[in-house]
C-alpha cells in the first residue's frame, strides 16, 4: 500500500508539468487546459445523481400507496427489497458488461431501465406490477450504475488523483439524495405520488444525452492519455470477465474473513438503506411528523454522509480498520436503541443530533471495509468488494421487507429499531474477530 501511495504522490507532483500525449506516430499533443478526464468525471457525477433520484422515492411512497391501493407495507417493502437485492447482485457483473460492451452503452441502457420502471409505475394497479417496475427494472438499472461505474471510470481515466475522484463520485449518491428528497417530498404532499415518479423518470432521461455525447469509454478513444499517466492503447473487449467474477467469489467463500466482512456489511446495509432510508419517513409520519420535515432530515443525512466518508478514509489510513468498524457499528447500534424515544411530531434537538450522527456514520464503514478486502484478497479485492457490496444490498432488501411486515404486525416500528441495534452490536463483534494478514504488504502488492 505504501508503494501505491508513493507512486500516486509522485504522479500528482508531475501533474502540472505533464501533457497528455498520443502515440508518437500521430505527432499530436493535447494542449487543453482542462483534461478531458475531468469532463468525464463531471458527467459521471451527474449520471450517478440522476440514477440515484429513484433511491429518494420508496420511503416517501409507502403511505400514499398503502392509502390508495390498500397494499400492506409488507407488499410494498417486498418490491423495495427486490430493487435493493438486484442493485447489489448486479454490481459485481456490471464491470464485466462495461468491459464487453463499453461504459456508454451499459449506462444508457441502465438509465433507460430506471426511467421505464419509474414511468410505468404511474399506470400500475396491482402489487405484482410494483415488483416488476420498481423491483426488477429499477433494480437492474441502478445496480449497473453502482460501484462498478465509478470505479471503471476512475481506473481508466485517472492515474493521479484517483483517491480524490473516488471520494467525489462516492459522494454523488448522497448528493442525489440531498437534491431529490426534499423535492420529491414536496411533490408527493402537494401533487401526489405520480408526478413524483414522473420526475424521477425525467431525471434519469435528461442525463442520457450527456452520457452519450460527452462520456467516452477510454482515453484512447479521443487520442489522450489518462490524467497524470502515459498513453495506453484501448484494450480489446474482454471476454470471460463474468466467469472470473464467479470464480473469485468461489475462492473467497472458502475463507473466514469473507463471511465476516460480508455479514457485517449486510448489517450495514440493513441499518442504512433497508431501515432508515426506507422506513424512517413512514415511522416519523406515524408520530405525526410532516412528510416534508422527515424527508428533509434524511436529506441532512446526505450532507453529513459526505463529511463522514472523507473523514473515515483519513482515519483508515492511520488506524486499524477492524477497530474502526467495531466502533462505527457499536455507536450506530446504540443510537438506534434511542431512536424510538426521539420520534415526535416536531423536530427537536435530540433528533437533529441523531440525524447528524447517523449521517457521519452512514457510509463511514466503506473505507475500512474496502481496506480489509485489499489486505485479505490482494489483486482480487475489487471483485471481492463487489460481492461484499452485494451482501450489503441483500441485508438492506431483507430489512426493507421485514420492516414493513413488522409494522403491519405490531402497529409500530419500535421492534425494528431495537432489533437493528442488536444486529449492529453483532457486526461490531464480527469486525473485531477478522484475522490479520501476517504480511499485509504481500497481500497488497498486487493492487497497483
Amino acid at each position: 500500500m505504501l508503494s501505491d501511495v508513493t507512486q500516486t504522490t509522485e504522479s500528482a507532483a508531475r501533474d502540472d508539468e505533464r501533457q497528455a500525449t498520443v502515440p508518437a506516430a500521430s505527432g499530436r499533443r493535447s494542449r487543453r487546459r482542462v483534461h478531458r478526464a475531468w469532463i468525464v468525471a463531471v458527467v459521471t457525477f451527474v449520471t450517478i445523481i440522476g440514477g440515484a433520484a429513484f433511491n429518494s422515492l420508496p420511503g416517501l411512497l409507502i403511505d400514499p400507496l398503502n392509502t390508495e391501493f390498500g397494499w400492506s407495507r409488507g407488499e410494498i417493502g417486498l418490491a423495495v427489497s427486490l430493487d435493493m437485492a438486484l442493485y447489489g447482485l448486479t454490481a459485481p457483473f456490471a464491470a464485466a458488461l462495461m468491459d464487453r460492451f463499453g461504459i456508454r452503452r451499459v449506462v444508457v441502457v441502465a438509465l433507460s431501465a430506471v426511467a421505464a420502471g419509474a414511468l410505468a409505475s404511474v399506470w400500475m394497479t396491482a402489487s405484482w406490477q410494483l415488483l416488476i417496475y420498481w423491483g426488477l427494472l429499477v433494480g437492474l438499472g441502478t445496480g449497473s450504475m453502482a460501484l462498478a461505474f465509478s470505479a471503471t471510470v476512475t481506473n481508466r481515466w485517472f492515474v493521479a488523483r484517483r483517491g480524490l475522484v473516488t471520494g467525489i463520485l462516492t459522494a454523488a449518491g448522497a448528493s442525489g439524495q440531498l437534491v431529490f428528497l426534499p423535492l420529491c417530498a414536496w411533490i408527493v404532499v402537494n401533487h401526489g405520488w405520480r408526478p413524483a415518479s414522473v420526475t424521477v423518470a425525467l431525471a434519469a432521461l435528461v442525463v442520457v444525452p450527456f452520457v452519450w455525447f460527452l462520456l467516452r469509454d477510454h482515453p484512447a478513444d479521443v487520442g489522450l492519455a489518462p490524467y497524470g499517466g502515459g498513453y495506453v492503447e484501448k484494450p480489446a473487449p474482454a471476454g470471460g470477465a463474468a466467469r472470473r467474477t464467479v470464480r473469485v467469489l468461489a475462492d473467497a467463500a472458502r475463507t473466514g474473513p469473507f463471511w465476516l466482512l460480508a455479514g457485517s456489511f449486510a448489517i450495514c446495509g440493513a441499518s442504512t438503506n433497508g431501515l432508515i432510508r426506507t422506513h424512517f419517513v413512514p415511522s416519523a409520519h406515524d408520530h405525526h411528523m410532516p412528510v416534508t420535515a422527515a424527508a428533509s432530515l434524511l436529506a441532512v443525512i446526505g450532507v453529513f454522509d459526505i463529511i463522514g466518508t472523507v473523514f473515515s478514509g483519513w482515519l483508515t489510513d492511520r488506524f486499524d480498520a477492524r477497530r474502526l468498524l467495531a466502533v462505527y457499528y457499536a455507536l450506530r447500534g446504540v443510537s438506534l436503541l434511542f431512536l424510538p424515544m426521539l420520534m415526535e411530531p416536531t423536530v427537536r434537538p435530540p433528533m437533529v443530533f441523531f440525524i447528524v450522527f447517523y449521517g457521519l456514520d452512514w457510509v463511514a464503514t466503506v473505507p475500512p471495509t474496502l481496506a480489509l478486502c485489499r489486505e485479505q484478497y490482494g489483486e482480487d479485492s475489487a471483485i471481492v468488494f463487489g460481492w461484499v457490496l452485494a451482501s450489503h444490498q441483500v441485508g438492506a432488501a431483507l430489512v426493507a421487507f421485514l420492516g414493513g411486515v413488522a409494522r403491519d404486525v405490531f402497529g409500530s416500528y419500535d421492534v425494528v429499531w431495537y432489533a437493528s441495534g442488536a444486529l449492529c452490536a453483532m457486526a461490531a463483534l464480527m469486525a473485531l474477530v477478522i484475522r490479520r494478514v501476517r504480511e499485509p504488504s504481500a497481500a497488497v502488492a498486487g493492487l497497483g
Side-chain angles (χ1 to χ4, degrees):
M1 183 175 293
L2 181 59
S3 63
D4 289 347
V5 174
T6 303
Q7 292 172 3
T8 302
T9 304
E10 293 173 352
S11 297
R14 296 193 296 267
D15 283 347
D16 293 336
E17 301 176 2
R18 188 189 299 274
Q19 294 279 350
T21 59
V22 298
S26 68
R28 293 184 290 113
R29 289 182 179 269
S30 171
R31 297 187 180 277
R32 291 188 181 92
R33 290 185 177 181
V34 178
H35 194 285
R36 180 66 176 267
W38 293 108
I39 298 175
V40 171
V42 170
V43 173
T44 303
F45 185 90
V46 173
T47 302
I48 294 173
I49 289 178
F54 180 84
N55 292 332
S56 305
L57 204 55
L60 300 176
L61 300 193
I62 289 178
D63 284 335
L65 292 177
N66 173 260
T67 300
E68 179 172 339
F69 297 106
W71 300 338
S72 70
R73 286 172 172 80
E75 289 177 297
I76 300 169
L78 181 61
V80 178
S81 70
L82 178 60
D83 162 56
M84 291 182 176
L86 286 177
Y87 178 96
L89 295 172
T90 302
F93 297 94
L97 292 172
M98 291 177 184
D99 287 340
R100 178 66 181 86
F101 299 105
I103 299 175
R104 282 196 308 169
R105 292 178 181 176
V106 172
V107 173
V108 166
V109 171
L111 288 168
S112 300
V114 172
L119 192 59
S121 67
V122 172
W123 294 284
M124 65 186 175
T125 57
S127 59
W128 66 264
Q129 293 170 328
L130 187 67
L131 284 171
I132 299 298
Y133 303 148
W134 277 22
L136 183 62
L137 286 176
V138 175
L140 291 175
T142 54
S144 297
M145 293 183 294
L147 176 70
F149 179 34
S150 58
T152 302
V153 168
T154 303
N155 290 341
R156 291 186 183 182
W157 280 91
F158 290 87
V159 173
R161 306 290 191 259
R162 277 183 176 173
L164 173 64
V165 175
T166 299
I168 292 172
L169 296 183
T170 300
S175 301
Q177 176 177 306
L178 179 64
V179 170
F180 284 100
L181 257 174
L183 174 62
C184 289
W186 181 85
I187 294 174
V188 169
V189 170
N190 292 280
H191 301 285
W193 68 269
R194 287 181 175 83
S197 192
V198 172
T199 299
V200 168
L202 292 177
L205 289 177
V206 164
V207 179
V208 169
F210 293 94
V211 173
W212 189 255
F213 292 108
L214 297 179
L215 189 63
R216 290 295 179 268
D217 293 332
H218 196 279
D221 289 340
V222 288
L224 290 175
Y227 181 79
Y231 184 85
V232 178
E233 291 287 351
K234 183 178 180 179
R243 287 193 298 273
R244 183 193 174 202
T245 303
V246 176
R247 177 184 58 78
V248 168
L249 172 63
D251 292 342
R254 298 188 182 99
T255 66
F258 173 79
W259 293 106
L260 292 170
L261 287 167
S264 59
F265 216 46
I267 294 173
C268 177
S271 56
T272 52
N273 291 350
L275 182 65
I276 298 295
R277 179 171 288 170
T278 304
H279 295 294
F280 178 81
V281 171
S283 178
H285 191 54
D286 283 349
H287 291 77
H288 310 294
M289 182 183 292
V291 170
T292 50
S296 296
L297 289 175
L298 278 187
V300 173
I301 284 181
V303 175
F304 288 94
D305 177 7
I306 299 170
I307 299 171
T309 305
V310 175
F311 186 55
S312 178
W314 184 86
L315 290 175
T316 301
D317 290 334
R318 291 161 175 78
F319 299 98
D320 185 351
R322 296 158 190 76
R323 295 183 179 180
L324 288 177
L325 282 179
V327 171
Y328 294 158
Y329 286 127
L331 291 176
R332 183 183 298 182
V334 170
S335 70
L336 287 173
L337 296 179
F338 282 96
L339 182 57
M341 294 179 280
L342 306 180
M343 291 289 187
E344 296 186 29
T346 58
V347 178
R348 298 185 181 276
M351 175 60 81
V352 175
F353 178 81
F354 171 85
I355 291 297
V356 170
F357 172 79
Y358 222 82
L360 293 172
D361 192 69
W362 187 272
V363 289
T365 55
V366 172
T369 300
L370 181 54
L372 289 173
C373 285
R374 287 172 176 163
E375 177 185 306
Q376 298 285 338
Y377 301 104
E379 62 183 5
D380 289 331
S381 62
I383 296 176
V384 172
F385 182 70
W387 285 112
V388 172
L389 176 66
S391 73
H392 180 280
Q393 293 306 116
V394 170
L398 287 173
V399 170
F401 170 61
L402 295 176
V405 172
R407 170 61 176 79
D408 292 333
V409 173
F410 298 106
S412 79
Y413 282 100
D414 288 359
V415 67
V416 181
W417 307 127
Y418 296 139
S420 297
L423 285 175
C424 288
M426 185 185 302
L429 294 175
M430 294 169 73
L432 286 176
V433 299
I434 296 174
R435 65 174 173 81
R436 299 183 65 92
V437 175
R438 292 185 178 180
E439 298 180 2
S441 59
V444 179
L447 288 178

